[in-house]
Amino acid sequence: MLTDRQLLILQSIIEDYIQSAEPVGSRSISKKNSITFSPATIRNDMADLEEFGFLEKTHSSSGRIPSQKAYRLYVDRLLLPYRFSEPEMNNIQSLFAGKILEAEEAVKETAGILSELTSYASIVLGPEMFESRLRQIQIVPIGKEAAVAVIVTDTGYVENHTVALPPTLEAGELEQITNILNERLRGIPLYQLQRALFSEVRDVLKRYVFNYEAALSFTEEALRKSRHEKIFYGGKTNLLNQPEFKDVDRVRALLELMEEEHLIHELLKPTINGMTIRIGQENTNEAFEHCSIISATYSLAGKPVGTIGIVGPTRMEYQKVISLVNHLSYGLSNVLDDLYRRDS
Amino acid sequence: MLTDRQLLILQSIIEDYIQSAEPVGSRSISKKNSITFSPATIRNDMADLEEFGFLEKTHSSSGRIPSQKAYRLYVDRLLLPYRFSEPEMNNIQSLFAGKILEAEEAVKETAGILSELTSYASIVLGPEMFESRLRQIQIVPIGKEAAVAVIVTDTGYVENHTVALPPTLEAGELEQITNILNERLRGIPLYQLQRALFSEVRDVLKRYVFNYEAALSFTEEALRKSRHEKIFYGGKTNLLNQPEFKDVDRVRALLELMEEEHLIHELLKPTINGMTIRIGQENTNEAFEHCSIISATYSLAGKPVGTIGIVGPTRMEYQKVISLVNHLSYGLSNVLDDLYRRDS
DNA sequence: ATTTAGCACTCGGATAAAACGAGTGCTAAC
DNA sequence: GTTAGCACTCGTTTTATCCGAGTGCTAAAT
């Protein structure tokens, strides 16, 4: 459907526009080394490309800008592998070489590097720790009315919530409950804790604790999984450097959206194993109309546990960003696996 | 030095400008109910006020805008107490009425309400938990190379870090260390833990643990206080609604500054017991040149443990914000005291 | 001695007209 | 099929003009 020359021209226009953010004219394309045709020829092809919906004009006698469809084609068919520059490589290396002890630390670092190397904003979800297994639970009373439940998993993840203490609980029972929980629930994945509570612990509890109903619901509360996954951002303010966001209203819409954690979550969560690229209006949310989002999952022991992503203007350096997200999701998975493996 | 009339006119101008964000002319002042003089009279006084440095012109024939000095005078001498509106009152009430179980939750809520009621951005530091006392420490090994140290205080605050395990540590010694620490350090304030480690624990450790040097430095690491205090923001994007921030560059400077946690910290930390108001360039940092910051400490058991603050344009609704910050710092202190008191 | 009315003047902002130029589409020649 | 030539389009920039809110000053009124 498109001739090779048309593809070449389209590619040139896209890459020029990604660079300059200005409508691209036939003359400037003709000056490139890879292009040997005259402006007039290019104009003809441009007209065709416009007819096919790959190019747009900002007004009747302006240069062309790539359409969303063009970016899609570019990403799907025209993209060359990207070679990282020396300092970029160093930056990435140092992330994975460092002595990282905690998953959350690794995730935050990744968000930082992503945004630093791209000058766009990065979003990192997770890691979900639902799969990791209970290593130890500790319930520490804080005064008469409350207690802190601390859960430590085999991945070194610590979760804690404060729970109201039922007044009927007798002295010493708390310790007893803790012992029972540790004995019965150790090694159970977090997401199964509540279920296991009923299947494994309930009856034992009945035997040892006086007001067993209250104790059970108290324990259930203590094991409740934290409702929201964590979201980390990096370089939000990078977006303000992009010319497409010199308009405050647009920036506001974007930044406000990013505060809505559940929305961001819905948006990035459907990233299937591998990489997802959403260009412009492919993002359902209106505030992302002029943005592209590139996201990839990272995993622990082969199972996806989180998502890393980049948000930038549709005019994004796709080749660089795609490589980078790819690389980092892979590298982050490795780091997490290393952290995890120390358990065995 | 200033006549009553001049003060009245200055106040009118300031309040008008806070409302409108536009230079104020003599005519519009003369129309106010509280003003009985003619525009010409007002113009004379305006000229005087300008000479004294309380008013400025944007150009030679424009209306006047208040100077930084004017805001200072306004805040120090002209401010009337603010009556909260019905919904505002409800909002505040609901914060302090809710069933809050954790200090951090209370603090986050406060940040939210602050920004919601002011349409500026809120910053909350802390709470510092240095004063609270160790209730329990648990060291859980994660594989052969690392362990998670979990510290629970008598205020229900949980802190955890992952620490590399010294390879020389023998089986069972970790448990022993944990026991010793719990026995010897319970009730010690967090900020004294490291010191107490040496004075109370060192010798005991020497007696029971084989490679005592490694164990000591490991323990020291486990008790290390987390270096950065927490910062919570609320309604950062509110700032984008203010006309003084319709310029993207200014917004960027501001948002970037807010990412620099240590700078924000330095900026708000010197809030002395009570309230601090910094207007425009009274903030040393250039990015806050056009901002005012109103901050107050909140406390736990009478000792200041954190700071709440509001950042807005110099043209800020001082009377409302000041009351609000006052109220909320007071209320937050009460909530924290309640949380704390449950221990006794 | 103040206060006020009157008036000339200033200057930013809005509106209109003109000059500019990057870029196009089309036609005719290569 | 490709390219040179050229008239045309239209956003941007520049220049000129007008408008009006607001001032400062002077002289009259209180």
Side-chain angles (χ1 to χ4, degrees):
Chain A
M1 164 172 165
L2 290 181
T3 67
D4 283 355
R5 195 180 61 202
Q6 285 171 332
L7 279 176
L8 179 58
I9 289 174
L10 182 57
Q11 176 169 15
S12 296
I13 293 174
I14 292 173
E15 286 170 358
D16 191 300
Y17 184 69
I18 285 177
Q19 244 291 310
S20 70
E22 303 272 307
V24 184
S26 54
R27 224 177 95 83
S28 64
I29 291 296
S30 76
K31 287 217 192 94
K32 298 198 188 256
N33 291 337
S34 55
I35 303 281
T36 55
F37 345 105
S38 76
T41 311
I42 294 170
R43 278 204 291 281
N44 284 330
D45 280 340
M46 277 173 147
D48 289 345
L49 286 166
E50 184 175 355
E51 212 165 306
F52 292 141
F54 292 110
L55 293 179
E56 291 165 0
K57 285 195 271 197
T58 63
H59 60 92
S60 77
S61 70
S62 78
R64 304 303 209 295
I65 62 174
S67 69
Q68 193 172 309
K69 191 174 164 190
Y71 289 123
R72 178 44 71 190
L73 178 73
Y74 178 69
V75 163
D76 289 343
R77 295 189 38 200
L78 299 177
L79 222 49
L80 301 171
Y82 177 75
R83 270 188 63 87
F84 292 104
S85 74
E86 188 72 26
E88 285 165 356
M89 214 53 201
N90 289 339
N91 227 330
I92 299 173
Q93 296 299 346
S94 73
L95 165 59
F96 297 133
K99 58 278 150 255
I100 290 173
L101 285 174
E102 302 179 55
E104 195 169 304
E105 195 186 335
V107 163
K108 276 185 193 163
E109 285 276 336
T110 307
I113 295 210
L114 260 178
S115 63
E116 202 174 307
L117 291 184
T118 58
S119 69
Y120 304 126
S122 67
I123 304 181
V124 178
L125 300 190
E128 274 181 24
M129 286 306 189
F130 298 166
E131 294 274 347
S132 58
R133 296 154 186 281
L134 180 73
R135 158 127 310 167
Q136 182 157 331
I137 182 170
Q138 202 71 25
I139 301 179
V140 183
I142 304 296
K144 291 189 184 61
E145 294 170 15
V148 178
V150 181
I151 291 174
V152 182
T153 74
D154 57 357
T155 52
Y157 170 67
V158 177
E159 185 167 313
N160 71 284
H161 7 250
T162 308
V163 190
L165 265 182
T168 60
L169 215 62
E170 294 178 13
E173 285 189 338
L174 202 57
E175 208 172 325
Q176 209 158 15
I177 292 176
T178 306
N179 287 337
I180 293 173
L181 291 178
N182 272 311
E183 195 178 315
R184 301 278 164 163
L185 298 181
R186 178 162 302 167
I188 307 246
L190 289 195
Y191 74 97
Q192 286 185 342
L193 276 185
Q194 303 246 356
R195 198 193 320 163
L197 177 64
F198 286 93
S199 63
E200 303 291 323
V201 176
R202 183 190 216 157
D203 293 337
V204 193
L205 215 56
K206 211 168 193 167
R207 215 175 313 148
Y208 289 101
V209 178
F210 176 65
N211 188 333
Y212 126 91
E213 297 255 339
L216 189 68
S217 81
F218 164 76
T219 314
E220 194 181 353
E221 183 66 10
L223 294 181
R224 168 196 89 212
K225 63 171 184 263
S226 49
R227 63 238 95 147
H228 53 258
E229 277 169 64
K230 284 170 184 151
I231 299 185
F232 304 95
Y233 291 104
K236 272 190 202 175
T237 51
N238 281 347
L239 292 176
L240 302 187
N241 292 319
Q242 301 296 334
E244 23 273 284
F245 296 112
K246 68 178 196 297
D247 174 32
V248 181
D249 289 328
R250 208 180 268 182
V251 171
R252 193 182 47 230
L254 208 56
L255 291 182
E256 275 171 2
L257 176 57
M258 291 201 194
E259 306 277 305
E260 307 273 346
E261 305 218 330
H262 63 280
L263 284 180
I264 293 298
H265 206 271
E266 275 170 31
L267 206 72
L268 286 199
K269 203 52 185 301
T271 303
I272 315 300
N273 220 340
M275 176 171 294
T276 299
I277 299 172
R278 286 197 211 78
I279 297 170
Q281 297 172 325
E282 292 171 18
N283 298 296
T284 41
N285 196 303
E286 200 177 326
F288 280 139
E289 201 177 342
H290 303 279
C291 295
S292 286
I293 300 182
I294 298 184
S295 59
T297 56
Y298 60 91
S299 47
L300 198 163
K303 297 199 177 173
V305 293
T307 309
I308 73 178
I310 281 286
V311 179
T314 41
R315 181 190 64 78
M316 182 190 269
E317 288 191 62
Y318 290 97
Q319 83 171 352
K320 178 173 170 183
V321 172
I322 288 173
S323 303
L324 194 62
V325 168
N326 230 329
H327 243 75
L328 286 187
S329 72
Y330 183 74
L332 179 55
S333 302
N334 283 339
V335 170
L336 292 185
D337 281 341
D338 285 350
L339 285 180
Y340 186 76
R341 199 169 298 122
R342 67 184 173 193
D343 190 42
S344 51
Chain B
M1 161 172 164
L2 290 181
T3 66
D4 284 355
R5 194 180 63 201
Q6 284 171 333
L7 278 177
L8 179 59
I9 288 174
L10 182 57
Q11 176 168 14
S12 297
I13 293 174
I14 293 173
E15 285 170 359
D16 191 299
Y17 184 68
I18 285 177
Q19 243 291 311
S20 69
E22 304 271 305
V24 184
S26 55
R27 225 177 93 85
S28 63
I29 291 297
S30 76
K31 288 218 192 91
K32 299 199 188 254
N33 290 337
S34 54
I35 304 282
T36 54
F37 344 105
S38 76
T41 311
I42 294 170
R43 278 203 290 282
N44 283 331
D45 279 341
M46 277 173 148
D48 288 346
L49 286 166
E50 183 175 356
E51 212 166 308
F52 292 140
F54 292 110
L55 293 179
E56 291 166 1
K57 286 195 270 198
T58 62
H59 60 90
S60 77
S61 71
S62 76
R64 305 302 210 292
I65 63 175
S67 70
Q68 192 173 309
K69 190 174 166 190
Y71 289 123
R72 177 44 71 191
L73 178 73
Y74 178 67
V75 163
D76 289 342
R77 296 190 39 202
L78 300 178
L79 224 47
L80 301 171
Y82 178 74
R83 270 188 63 87
F84 292 104
S85 74
E86 189 70 30
E88 285 165 357
M89 215 53 199
N90 289 340
N91 227 329
I92 300 173
Q93 297 299 349
S94 72
L95 165 60
F96 297 134
K99 57 279 150 256
I100 289 173
L101 285 175
E102 303 179 55
E104 195 169 304
E105 195 187 335
V107 163
K108 277 184 193 164
E109 284 277 336
T110 307
I113 295 208
L114 259 178
S115 63
E116 202 174 307
L117 291 184
T118 58
S119 67
Y120 305 126
S122 67
I123 303 180
V124 179
L125 301 189
E128 271 180 27
M129 288 306 188
F130 298 166
E131 294 274 347
S132 57
R133 295 154 187 280
L134 180 73
R135 158 128 310 168
Q136 181 156 331
I137 181 169
Q138 202 70 25
I139 301 180
V140 183
I142 304 295
K144 292 187 185 62
E145 294 170 16
V148 178
V150 180
I151 292 173
V152 182
T153 73
D154 57 356
T155 52
Y157 169 66
V158 177
E159 185 166 312
N160 72 284
H161 5 252
T162 309
V163 190
L165 265 181
T168 60
L169 216 61
E170 293 177 16
E173 284 189 339
L174 202 57
E175 206 172 327
Q176 209 157 15
I177 293 175
T178 307
N179 287 337
I180 294 172
L181 291 178
N182 272 312
E183 194 177 315
R184 300 279 165 162
L185 299 182
R186 179 162 302 167
I188 308 250
L190 289 194
Y191 73 97
Q192 286 185 342
L193 277 185
Q194 303 246 356
R195 197 194 320 162
L197 176 65
F198 286 93
S199 64
E200 303 291 324
V201 177
R202 183 190 215 158
D203 292 339
V204 193
L205 214 57
K206 210 168 192 164
R207 214 176 313 147
Y208 289 101
V209 178
F210 176 64
N211 189 334
Y212 127 89
E213 297 254 337
L216 188 68
S217 81
F218 163 77
T219 313
E220 194 181 353
E221 183 67 10
L223 294 181
R224 167 195 90 212
K225 62 171 184 263
S226 49
R227 63 236 97 146
H228 52 260
E229 277 168 63
K230 284 171 184 152
I231 300 185
F232 304 94
Y233 290 105
K236 272 189 202 177
T237 52
N238 280 349
L239 292 177
L240 302 186
N241 293 319
Q242 301 296 334
E244 25 272 285
F245 296 112
K246 68 177 195 297
D247 173 32
V248 182
D249 288 329
R250 208 180 270 182
V251 171
R252 192 182 49 230
L254 208 56
L255 292 182
E256 274 171 3
L257 177 56
M258 291 201 192
E259 307 277 304
E260 306 272 345
E261 305 219 330
H262 63 281
L263 284 181
I264 293 298
H265 206 270
E266 275 170 31
L267 207 71
L268 286 200
K269 204 51 188 301
T271 303
I272 315 301
N273 220 341
M275 176 171 295
T276 301
I277 299 172
R278 286 195 212 78
I279 297 170
Q281 297 172 325
E282 292 171 18
N283 299 294
T284 41
N285 197 303
E286 200 177 326
F288 281 138
E289 201 176 341
H290 305 278
C291 295
S292 285
I293 300 181
I294 298 184
S295 58
T297 56
Y298 60 91
S299 47
L300 196 164
K303 299 200 177 174
V305 293
T307 309
I308 74 179
I310 281 285
V311 179
T314 40
R315 180 190 63 78
M316 183 189 269
E317 288 190 64
Y318 290 97
Q319 84 172 350
K320 177 173 170 183
V321 172
I322 288 173
S323 303
L324 193 62
V325 168
N326 230 329
H327 243 75
L328 286 186
S329 71
Y330 183 74
L332 180 56
S333 301
N334 283 340
V335 170
L336 292 185
D337 280 342
D338 285 350
L339 286 180
Y340 187 76
R341 199 170 299 122
R342 68 186 173 192
D343 189 42
S344 53

